[in-house]
Amino acid sequence: MKLYLDPGHGGNDPGAQGNGLSEKNITLDIAQRIRSILVSDYRNVDVRLSRSSDSSKSLQQRTNEANDWGADYFLSIHCNAFNGNARGYEDYIHSNLSDSSKTAGYRNVLHAEIIKVNQLSNRGKKKANFHVLRESTMSAMLSENGFIDNQQDAALMRTASWRQRVAQGHVNGLVKAFNLQRKEEGNGSDDQLFKVIAGSFKSKANAEQRVEALKKKGINSYVDSLTLSGELWFRVQAGAFSKRSNAENQLNQVKKAGIPDAYIISDS
């Protein structure tokens, strides 16, 4: 299954803004998490991001790239804005499509799975004449994950654990819609590592405090740095394992130590 995954906006187009947040950063983070889960956990999935950094890309470039690649599905990730009072989640397929179309069927599955986990009110399944829905030659959906100008929705967007849940909801929908199969233990390449991440911080001092807190609980970890959307982040890594089952055991220990938003990434 070839998924073209499109984090909305980017570069000189910040998208919606509110409460100190920019849509382009939220969408990129969620999309990268979706890709990480799919590539780490599922077989026969090829994921291409329209952008993997804070870069500009036109709508035409995005759909042309997906069409030329021969993607099986186009998934565009967005956040909403309106008047500061509106809240919730909604998603879109193209306005010309019937409710019995294959695209609508895929969307129904994704919608149900995303709503289960995203802690947002359900604004429903909608249709629109958006470029990415109209010009993509494969089935396509655009998800609007909360209102960035609403204080309650924005408070969720700020937390890594919420963005991870939203990503997992999208993955759960894709898994059901396209019958994706989990990788079996040991299916990864010899140099594939499953890393347990126990927090990401803009402040190195805060990351070091997390390391000390884990050490008191008997868990060794260290601070690693990475650049996301042009910003430097300090990530706390609490182990790297060649077997996912061992990483999951460590993840459980980290969560028991009081880090509920810890998660696993795969590097190969």
Side-chain angles (χ1 to χ4, degrees):
M1 185 265 200
K2 296 167 71 173
L3 172 67
Y4 190 86
L5 186 55
D6 176 37
H9 307 282
N12 56 18
D13 174 16
Q17 295 178 286
N19 295 293
L21 300 173
S22 290
E23 180 182 5
K24 66 177 183 178
N25 296 328
I26 302 299
T27 61
L28 179 60
D29 186 75
I30 292 172
Q32 288 177 324
R33 291 171 186 271
I34 292 172
R35 181 189 183 279
S36 178
I37 299 168
L38 286 171
V39 172
S40 298
D41 294 355
Y42 293 91
R43 294 189 279 117
N44 302 319
V45 183
D46 195 357
V47 181
R48 180 172 293 188
L49 290 172
S50 63
R51 62 183 182 93
S52 56
S53 63
D54 184 18
S55 56
S56 299
K57 200 165 195 175
S58 71
L59 296 176
Q60 191 66 53
Q61 285 176 310
R62 297 174 201 232
T63 51
N64 284 350
E65 191 171 84
N67 294 342
D68 292 344
W69 184 44
D72 297 306
Y73 197 59
F74 190 112
L75 179 58
S76 192
I77 308 299
H78 286 258
C79 302
N80 234 325
F82 183 53
N83 60 2
N85 295 318
R87 298 188 62 196
Y89 170 85
E90 60 195 28
D91 45 42
Y92 291 84
I93 60 174
H94 191 257
S95 50
N96 285 348
L97 293 170
S98 73
D99 292 338
S100 59
S101 65
K102 179 174 70 172
T103 298
Y106 288 150
R107 190 269 293 276
N108 291 344
V109 175
L110 267 80
H111 183 96
E113 293 300 319
I114 295 166
I115 282 296
K116 284 180 185 177
V117 299
N118 68 2
Q119 299 174 275
L120 296 172
S121 57
N122 184 358
R123 294 174 58 88
K125 296 176 283 188
K126 302 184 179 183
K127 298 179 183 180
N129 188 30
F130 297 145
H131 174 97
V132 295
L133 304 179
R134 182 183 67 248
E135 300 300 327
S136 51
T137 58
M138 69 295 303
S139 291
M141 187 187 94
L142 184 148
S143 64
E144 292 278 9
N145 298 277
F147 283 74
I148 204 166
D149 59 346
N150 178 275
Q151 288 186 355
Q152 291 168 290
D153 283 7
L156 292 172
M157 292 179 193
R158 283 194 179 90
T159 64
S161 58
W162 180 83
R163 298 192 301 272
Q164 186 71 12
R165 279 194 294 271
V166 169
Q168 188 66 62
H170 283 73
V171 169
N172 293 346
L174 291 166
V175 168
K176 284 193 173 183
F178 292 92
N179 193 30
L180 302 181
Q181 302 299 308
R182 290 190 71 93
K183 291 180 178 178
E184 296 177 4
E185 192 66 65
N187 249 14
S189 60
D190 292 339
D191 59 350
Q192 186 174 28
L193 287 177
F194 298 98
K195 299 179 179 181
V196 178
I197 306 303
S200 295
F201 304 86
K202 288 189 175 180
S203 163
K204 187 175 182 180
N206 290 343
E208 290 171 342
Q209 288 176 5
R210 175 64 55 85
V211 169
E212 286 301 311
L214 288 170
K215 186 176 181 181
K216 292 177 182 178
K217 300 282 188 176
I219 299 172
N220 292 322
S221 60
Y222 69 92
V223 177
D224 190 15
S225 63
L226 74 160
T227 301
L228 179 64
S229 299
E231 294 182 324
L232 182 64
W233 289 81
F234 298 95
R235 190 168 67 186
V236 177
Q237 183 173 318
F241 305 86
S242 58
K243 290 186 177 180
R244 185 174 182 90
S245 58
N246 292 339
E248 288 174 345
N249 290 338
Q250 178 76 339
L251 179 65
N252 289 334
Q253 293 303 312
V254 171
K255 289 184 174 182
K256 288 179 181 177
I259 315 298
D261 60 346
Y263 60 95
I264 295 172
I265 63 171
S266 174
D267 286 352
S268 58

